[in-house]
Amino acid sequence: LDNGRDIIAYLPPSYYTSRKRYPVLYMHDGQNLFDHATSFAGEWLVDETLEHLAYNEGLEAIVVGIANNGPERLDEYSPFVDHSYGGGHGNQYVSFIANTLKKLIDHEFRTIPHRRKTGIMGSSMGGLISLYAFFHREDIFGFVGAMSPSLWFAKGAIYGYVQNASYLPGKVYLD
């Protein structure tokens, strides 16, 4: 991407006491996920939620928070150009996650690298790029969470894209 950003990895409670491998969820706007002090509009409490799920439900996963790049957020979070807001660099951003970041995470941590155990999630424009990534890189992502996705961006270009995209079975959460 020819820029720098923080990448924050949450490791589940049993990570250092077991040899297990874990599913991975890549989340956008990583500065908002784990720490109120770094968040733009309030912490999402992802680490607290995952701790609760681990201890009460036995559900554990690695979460990789990808901080946005500030003024380039709209450009990176949309593969489509909106004449009022910009966009258009989403392909490069998704390629960075799929081809660079995922390889690094799979090398450095005990992941389950299969697509059915690799997901992507975001909110607003992060939800839009998550939906796009799920359909664009179906070889990588087997599940997606799109929270209040900006489906309106670029006059709803995501609708036509999804309608014409190839599809491998996976899980979609959309709200």
Side-chain angles (χ1 to χ4, degrees), residues 6-59:
D6 290 334
I7 304 295
I8 306 159
Y10 165 88
L11 301 177
S14 70
Y15 189 84
Y16 291 106
T17 60
S18 78
R19 299 297 307 150
K20 291 183 350 183
R21 294 189 165 274
Y22 300 88
V24 180
L25 178 62
Y26 293 88
M27 293 185 74
H28 314 291
D29 295 313
Q31 73 283 353
N32 295 334
L33 305 179
F34 308 112
D35 187 349
H36 181 73
T38 62
S39 70
F40 173 73
E43 179 190 350
W44 293 7
L45 304 172
V46 171
D47 48 339
E48 290 87 350
T49 301
L50 289 167
E51 295 287 316
H52 176 81
L53 289 171
Y55 291 119
N56 295 305
E57 305 291 332
L59 177 63

